[in-house]
């Protein structure tokens, strides 16, 4: 279950752009920027909502925005946009999802490296936002203009205030700050463990929040939602090991592909213990 306020932003953004593709007189931002604390499920939930809407997802990680070749990241954006546009041409809505965009092109004071690629990426995103129906490839006399469908873009980041101000103008980008409350966090956790009742999800969060605060004062606002996806991954790894233990790799090649059922009954106390273990042992949580 995705929190209603989060889902509404994604659904509204896709809907407005779908209608703008059919009627170009409709003016709406091409880009939706979702910002908020790290580890709170922004990208995960974005993917879940897009899948529910039957929207093809074209992922473009922020790490792709830096390259030793000048212009390569900007071309990667254009190529991704053209690929997504070709899906629209075939009747399949598609969207581009860019995660951690502030880490790639954010302005971090003295830590910022102002490169040609950083400028070109911002310029390319602004050009698409200003005219979503045209895409370019190549340079100079070899530059090719391609007519495209409008492809909605969703960016996630921790601090949208670090992004280039002209890119974030209302006509280009719609901003949504995601700071989940207690009910929102419970809904996200229950979506990861469907067999839990909502009250059990709250009990799991309260137990791990309390434990985490005893470890480090930085958890005053609670642990990130990403911890729960790591708990699920840990349980899946344990289950997989029990399935393949004692088999050779050659034997595994002839086995049916095992499927972990995340909705199988997992005791609340077991989830609490696994969460405490990860919080105690994983330095990423203690020092992030």
């Amino acid at each position: 279950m995705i929190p209603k306020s989060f889902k509404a932003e994604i659904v509204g953004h896709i809907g407005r752009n779908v209608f703008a593709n059919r009627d170009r007189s409709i003016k709406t931002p091409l880009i939706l920027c979702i910002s908020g604390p790290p580890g709170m499920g922004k990208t995960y939930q974005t993917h879940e909502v897009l899948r529910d809407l039957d929207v093809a997802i074209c992922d473009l990680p922020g790490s792709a925005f830096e390259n030793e070749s000048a212009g390569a990241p900007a071309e990667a954006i254009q190529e991704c946009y053209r690929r997504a546009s070709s899906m629209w041409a075939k009747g399949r809505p598609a969207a581009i999802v860019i995660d951690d965009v502030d880490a790639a092109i954010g302005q971090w004071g003295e830590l910022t490296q102002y490169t040609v690629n950083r400028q070109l990426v911002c310029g390319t995103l602004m050009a698409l936002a200003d005219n979503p129906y045209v895409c370019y490839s190549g340079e100079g006399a070899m530059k090719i203009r391609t007519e495209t469908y409008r492809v909605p873009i969703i960016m996630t980041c921790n601090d949208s205030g670090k992004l280039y101000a002209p890119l974030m103008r209302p006509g280009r980008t719609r901003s949504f700050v995601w700071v989940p409350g207690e009910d929102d966090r419970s809904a996200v956790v229950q979506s990861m463990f469907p067999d839990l009742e909502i009250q059990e999800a709250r009990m799991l969060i309260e137990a791990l929040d309390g434990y985490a605060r005893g470890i480090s004062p930085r958890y005053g606002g609670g642990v990130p939602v990403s911890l729960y996806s790591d708990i699920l991954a840990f349980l899946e790894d344990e289950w997989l090991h029990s399935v393949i233990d004692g088999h050779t790799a050659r034997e595994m090649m002839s086995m049916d592909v095992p499927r972990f059922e995340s909705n199988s009954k997992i005791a609340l106390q077991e989830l609490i213990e696994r969460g405490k273990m990860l919080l105690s042992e994983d330095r990423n949580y203690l020092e992030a």
Side-chain angles (χ1 to χ4, degrees):
M1 177 181 176
I2 303 298
K4 292 181 179 178
S5 59
F6 191 98
K7 183 176 182 178
E9 285 293 331
I10 304 290
V11 172
H13 183 64
I14 297 299
R16 287 188 295 270
N17 279 278
V18 166
F19 296 134
N21 249 328
R22 296 169 57 190
D23 182 352
R24 295 194 180 187
S25 68
I26 296 175
K27 303 301 180 185
T28 189
L30 182 74
I31 303 171
L32 171 65
C33 181
I34 305 173
S35 62
M40 287 302 176
K42 297 182 292 296
T43 302
Y44 166 78
Q45 292 179 100
T46 296
H47 280 74
E48 289 298 301
V49 176
L50 291 176
R51 290 191 187 99
D52 287 345
L53 292 172
D54 195 25
V55 173
I57 302 169
C58 298
D59 283 310
L60 193 60
S63 58
F65 289 171
E66 193 50 74
N67 190 292
E68 61 183 15
S69 298
E75 179 56 35
I77 296 173
Q78 300 274 21
E79 173 57 32
C80 186
Y81 198 87
R82 287 192 294 271
R83 186 170 69 251
S85 173
S86 69
M87 296 182 189
W88 281 89
K90 297 174 183 177
R92 177 74 190 279
I96 296 173
V97 178
I98 305 172
D99 64 347
D100 297 326
V101 68
D102 55 338
I105 59 172
Q107 300 180 41
W108 298 93
E110 294 181 356
L111 298 177
T112 304
Q113 292 184 343
Y114 293 98
T115 64
V116 171
N117 278 328
R118 178 184 294 267
Q119 296 172 349
L120 290 175
V121 164
C122 289
T124 298
L125 289 172
M126 286 191 294
L128 290 172
D130 291 340
N131 189 355
Y133 307 102
V134 174
C135 202
Y136 293 92
S137 61
E139 297 181 358
M142 301 298 291
K143 198 169 189 177
I144 301 173
R145 183 179 189 273
T146 304
E147 297 287 334
T148 63
Y149 281 79
R150 183 186 186 99
V151 179
I153 298 172
I154 300 175
M155 307 188 304
T156 65
C157 66
N158 295 332
D159 186 354
S160 60
K162 301 295 185 184
L163 298 176
Y164 187 47
L167 174 62
M168 300 302 293
R169 287 175 184 164
R172 292 170 174 155
T173 301
R174 177 183 175 89
S175 295
F176 172 56
V177 180
W178 171 243
V179 182
E182 180 180 340
D183 290 343
D184 295 325
R185 294 175 70 204
S186 298
V188 173
V189 171
Q190 189 188 33
S191 72
M192 297 180 187
F193 304 99
D195 204 53
L196 289 182
E197 299 292 335
I198 192 67
Q199 186 57 39
E200 290 179 307
R202 291 194 181 99
M203 293 170 65
L204 174 61
I205 291 171
E206 290 172 2
L208 293 182
D209 280 355
Y211 181 79
R213 291 187 186 104
I215 294 177
S216 171
R218 70 178 290 269
Y219 288 115
V223 298
V225 172
S226 59
L227 170 67
Y228 301 97
S229 62
D230 287 345
I231 294 173
L232 185 59
F234 183 88
L235 293 172
E236 182 174 355
D237 287 345
E238 275 194 332
W239 170 83
L240 180 62
H241 183 268
S242 70
V243 172
I244 64 176
D245 187 34
H247 292 278
T248 66
R250 188 179 295 274
E251 289 172 336
M252 293 178 206
M253 291 176 66
S254 61
M255 293 173 61
D256 291 335
V257 177
R259 303 291 183 187
F260 178 73
E261 298 293 337
S262 61
N263 60 351
S264 59
K265 182 63 178 177
I266 304 174
L268 174 61
Q269 190 57 41
E270 181 180 0
L271 295 176
I272 292 174
E273 292 305 317
R274 296 304 186 194
K276 288 181 177 179
M277 182 197 69
L278 288 175
L279 285 166
S280 298
E281 297 180 357
D282 195 332
R283 295 177 65 86
N284 287 331
Y285 291 110
L286 299 178
E287 298 180 356

